[in-house]
Amino acid sequence: MPNKDVIKPMNPFLSPREWRRRLIAAINIPTTLEFTGRGFICALITSRCHLGCPHCMFASNMDERRSSTNTMTLDRVNRLLQLVKDSNTGYFLVSGGGEGFLELSLMYRIIEGSSADVTWMVTSGFWATTESNTERVLSNCRAAHTGGNSNNPDRSIVIRLSVDQHHIDRIGSPDDPLAYVRRIIKSFDAAHPDESGFSLMLHCLDGEQELVDILAKQLGGSLHETEEKMHSKIKVTERSMQLLLPSGLELPVTFAKLLLSDMAADLRNEDLSTKRVKIWERDAYINEGDRTGLQLHDHGYGHDMLVIYDGRVAGGWQCEMPDVEINIDEHNYAEVMKRTLSDPGVLATIEKGLRYRFEVIEEVSVKACERAKAVNIRDYTSPVLLEEDRVKLYYTIRAIQDFRKDGRMEACAESVDSEVVTIINATRTQLLTWYGESTHDILEQYRQQHCGFSEFEKGLIAFSHEKNALKFVEATLDASKNSTRTVDQWRLLLLRVKHDWYDISSWKTETLSALDEATAIIDTHILKGKRPYEGLSMQSLR
């Protein structure tokens, strides 16, 4: 139970984290969902990538050393495969966040052990440096597939190659940019065309068909439009084609939209923000049908999960509450679903859709809704939208109230006290009044939850008065205990404050005016342009 001494019952939004915990402990909302259909899991194996494409929605880089925080261990991969099996997962996407094929042994293990009907293994193809290396990687993938077929003979493994100008600029040679792509296709065509359940596909960006046209001509093949815009009836793409080679091999070619991703999207740029919001809304509301946390079947539902490199699980993709701790290192499938569905905020979003959640949160924070969409990173939608504890609390209260209207609320009598009842019974006007009177902004949250932040803040305020860069650098390093990852997180916070992400009540104009200089000093004298924090675990956004 939380410490009652730090809870101020007259206004729950003055101590929102504690009050949300009390509400969740006291209230039970039974779910009517039954996951009887095949589900979907997207797994991000590593956050690291050596290419550093500017369009990368995860801001992936190699600025942090490989660790169990940014890259799955073999034990964690094995637990992931167990989750795939136990959860009746039919569609398994081993995707970005980083370049999974930097961890070849993990890729081979996944190919061998996946029990999903279809498993897509996403790669940039950087490993196709020579014919022998290309043949080796593809041959090992095929061997892993064959090795796992004794347990799952009807499954399909798809090597999904990202072919777009961003990747080609970083991988291809200047004189023949598409040589490595042709190398992969030719090697596959020569050695694996008749391998049942083992295939190759190309995944491109919408608007770059000319690139695929050039590739088809170089291969002596032809392109044909197809009506199907789905990955095996599970994920919508913008467009779909078939590349037919002279040998008779057919390669699916899908086109996805380019997301204008930015972990610190500048909300002051109204035109760009509007464009980003439209892209996000098309992806979530049209391509995903507003039900990102479910796979919809003719009879019943399947789950839709995200699992990332440090083991964290979002039991309902884009629907999670960032403070609900679920990890495959500790929780099996039954526990994952129990923790997912027992939180009223998560359950409300899964059952009622993303539009419902945004409409509720817009009652108190339009900025939270705009920044979540403008970041343009679907996997970060929930952590960004619900970054602030008081936003989490407001949405939780409103979700509980709406469930009660539907006759769905069951209270655990021994956990409920009069203060909880008062909050649940509060009118919309009362909730808005409490929220508006709360001084618990993102800065107060950092002071309470981030060791060293208060000292860093003092250094920043002193810098805004004195403009002593050397003293500010020393204060920052001391407060962070020389952790560049922590410094980078604080830099990102300053950038987001500057870009109008939050309603700030505790910094004076003078401090806010110094943010440009402060972030530049941090970048130049401490980080030296590196980004060890960006693109890492969503746990760090809690």
Side-chain angles (χ1 to χ4, degrees):
M1 288 293 292
N3 184 350
K4 291 187 177 182
D5 291 338
V6 301
I7 295 178
K8 301 176 182 179
M10 295 307 295
N11 186 343
F13 295 101
L14 291 173
S15 44
R17 177 163 288 217
E18 291 81 4
W19 272 111
R20 184 171 131 74
R21 287 172 178 165
R22 283 184 71 175
L23 288 170
I24 292 173
I27 301 300
N28 179 45
I29 310 293
T31 181
T32 58
L33 291 175
E34 294 184 10
F35 294 92
T36 56
R38 297 289 262 170
F40 174 82
I41 289 180
C42 175
L44 313 182
I45 304 304
T46 179
S47 73
R48 304 170 81 238
C49 181
H50 60 301
L51 298 182
C53 298
H55 79 297
C56 177
M57 71 181 193
F58 293 102
S60 292
N61 58 63
M62 301 287 278
D63 289 340
E64 186 181 50
R65 291 180 180 178
R66 185 183 184 278
S67 70
S68 60
T69 299
N70 59 41
T71 301
M72 283 195 181
T73 61
L74 178 58
D75 285 344
R76 191 171 289 152
V77 164
N78 286 332
R79 284 189 285 271
L80 169 65
L81 292 171
Q82 189 65 46
L83 179 66
V84 170
K85 180 179 179 181
D86 294 345
S87 62
N88 192 31
T89 293
Y91 313 95
F92 185 26
L93 180 65
V94 181
S95 185
E99 171 55 67
F101 276 65
L102 287 173
E103 307 290 335
L104 282 171
S105 62
L106 299 183
M107 296 299 100
Y108 300 150
R109 175 68 190 112
I110 291 171
I111 292 172
E112 178 186 31
S114 176
S115 58
D117 299 332
V118 183
T119 301
W120 295 281
M121 306 295 295
V122 177
T123 181
S124 66
F126 76 94
W127 37 268
T129 52
T130 63
E131 288 185 12
S132 60
N133 203 51
T134 304
E135 291 170 1
R136 177 180 62 84
V137 172
L138 289 176
S139 178
N140 287 341
C141 287
R142 184 187 67 171
H145 170 249
T146 302
N149 281 351
S150 58
N151 294 323
N152 302 285
D154 298 324
R155 69 200 182 108
S156 176
I157 301 294
V158 183
I159 307 299
R160 200 186 85 175
L161 180 62
S162 298
V163 180
D164 57 70
Q165 198 60 56
H166 299 278
H167 285 104
I168 289 168
D169 286 345
R170 279 155 181 75
I171 302 173
S173 60
D175 57 329
D176 191 358
L178 288 168
Y180 77 98
V181 179
R182 297 197 309 274
R183 195 174 294 128
I184 292 172
I185 294 174
K186 288 180 178 179
S187 179
F188 189 92
D189 192 15
H192 315 290
D194 299 320
E195 180 76 15
S196 177
F198 184 66
S199 60
L200 176 69
M201 71 174 291
L202 309 182
H203 195 57
C204 312
L205 289 176
D206 196 29
E208 290 193 353
Q209 183 178 331
E210 183 179 357
L211 191 65
V212 185
D213 289 336
I214 294 171
L215 177 64
K217 290 178 181 177
Q218 291 177 349
L219 292 167
S222 57
L223 281 168
H224 306 275
E225 200 85 29
T226 61
E227 294 296 325
E228 183 61 75
K229 294 184 180 180
M230 312 281 278
H231 284 187
S232 289
K233 300 182 180 179
I234 201 70
K235 287 294 170 186
V236 179
T237 62
E238 299 300 299
R239 189 180 182 190
S240 180
M241 304 185 78
Q242 286 280 352
L243 172 57
L244 178 61
L245 300 184
S247 64
L249 179 67
E250 292 185 359
L251 299 180
V253 183
T254 53
F255 294 83
K257 68 180 68 61
L258 174 63
L259 301 175
L260 303 178
S261 56
D262 187 344
M263 288 292 286
D266 192 344
L267 303 189
R268 300 170 303 176
N269 186 333
E270 294 183 5
D271 290 342
L272 182 55
S273 290
T274 299
K275 188 175 182 179
R276 283 171 164 156
V277 167
K278 287 181 178 179
I279 291 173
W280 184 93
E281 289 182 344
R282 174 177 173 80
D283 186 57
Y285 297 153
I286 298 177
N287 288 5
E288 297 286 343
D290 192 33
R291 305 299 292 275
T292 60
L294 295 172
Q295 288 300 319
L296 306 179
H297 298 283
D298 292 338
H299 302 286
Y301 303 103
H303 64 75
D304 201 321
M305 296 188 200
L306 173 70
V307 183
I308 65 173
Y309 18 84
D310 67 354
R312 186 180 187 274
V313 180
W317 192 36
Q318 299 187 58
C319 300
E320 71 272 24
M321 299 291 283
D323 59 346
V324 178
E325 297 188 13
I326 308 176
N327 196 293
I328 56 174
D329 291 349
E330 303 174 21
H331 306 120
N332 60 28
Y333 171 64
E335 292 166 335
V336 166
M337 297 313 295
K338 180 179 179 180
R339 284 175 172 261
T340 296
L341 300 175
S342 63
D343 189 288
V346 181
L347 182 62
T349 309
I350 290 177
E351 287 192 0
K352 301 179 182 183
L354 299 185
R355 288 183 188 272
Y356 166 82
R357 184 175 63 180
F358 277 102
E359 288 171 358
V360 170
I361 292 176
E362 279 180 350
E363 295 169 4
V364 289
S365 182
V366 173
K367 286 183 179 180
C369 297
E370 185 178 358
R371 73 187 181 224
K373 296 176 182 179
V375 161
N376 246 217
I377 309 175
R378 56 178 72 94
D379 300 333
Y380 283 82
T381 296
S382 290
V384 171
L385 175 67
L386 297 158
E387 182 183 11
E388 296 173 90
D389 285 343
R390 60 178 181 170
V391 173
K392 294 187 193 76
L393 175 61
Y394 184 83
Y395 181 58
T396 301
I397 296 170
R398 290 279 289 102
I400 291 172
Q401 290 178 336
D402 285 348
F403 277 126
R404 182 175 61 176
K405 289 179 183 177
D406 298 337
R408 296 271 301 281
M409 190 180 83
E410 293 181 2
C412 303
E414 67 275 10
S415 302
V416 177
D417 56 36
S418 59
E419 293 172 332
V420 169
V421 173
T422 297
I423 292 172
I424 298 303
N425 287 335
T427 64
R428 185 88 55 86
T429 300
Q430 180 63 73
L431 290 175
L432 294 176
T433 299
W434 279 337
Y435 191 96
E437 291 176 348
S438 170
T439 57
H440 190 283
D441 61 7
I442 190 66
L443 302 178
E444 179 62 23
Q445 189 169 315
Y446 264 68
R447 294 182 198 112
Q448 293 178 0
Q449 299 167 20
H450 292 252
C451 182
F453 182 78
S454 293
E455 294 306 311
F456 167 71
E457 184 182 27
K458 291 177 183 176
L460 175 65
I461 293 171
F463 171 74
S464 70
H465 295 299
E466 303 167 3
K467 300 298 181 181
N468 187 324
L470 180 59
K471 188 176 178 181
F472 175 56
V473 169
E474 291 175 350
T476 301
L477 289 173
D478 287 344
S480 67
K481 300 186 184 303
N482 292 299
S483 167
T484 55
R485 184 176 179 275
T486 298
V487 173
D488 194 28
Q489 183 176 12
W490 292 345
R491 176 202 62 82
L492 187 61
L493 173 67
L494 299 189
L495 195 59
R496 288 170 166 178
V497 171
K498 186 179 72 171
H499 289 172
D500 200 28
W501 273 41
Y502 318 102
D503 292 317
I504 300 297
S505 59
S506 57
W507 279 356
K508 296 180 180 179
T509 302
E510 189 174 28
T511 304
L512 296 171
S513 299
L515 296 184
D516 269 328
E517 292 178 83
T519 52
I521 289 170
I522 289 172
D523 227 355
T524 303
H525 297 286
I526 301 177
L527 298 176
K528 304 184 188 307
K530 292 187 176 182
R531 297 286 178 265
Y533 173 77
E534 282 195 31
L536 289 182
S537 164
M538 288 182 287
Q539 285 195 6
S540 55
L541 293 176
R542 289 179 182 169

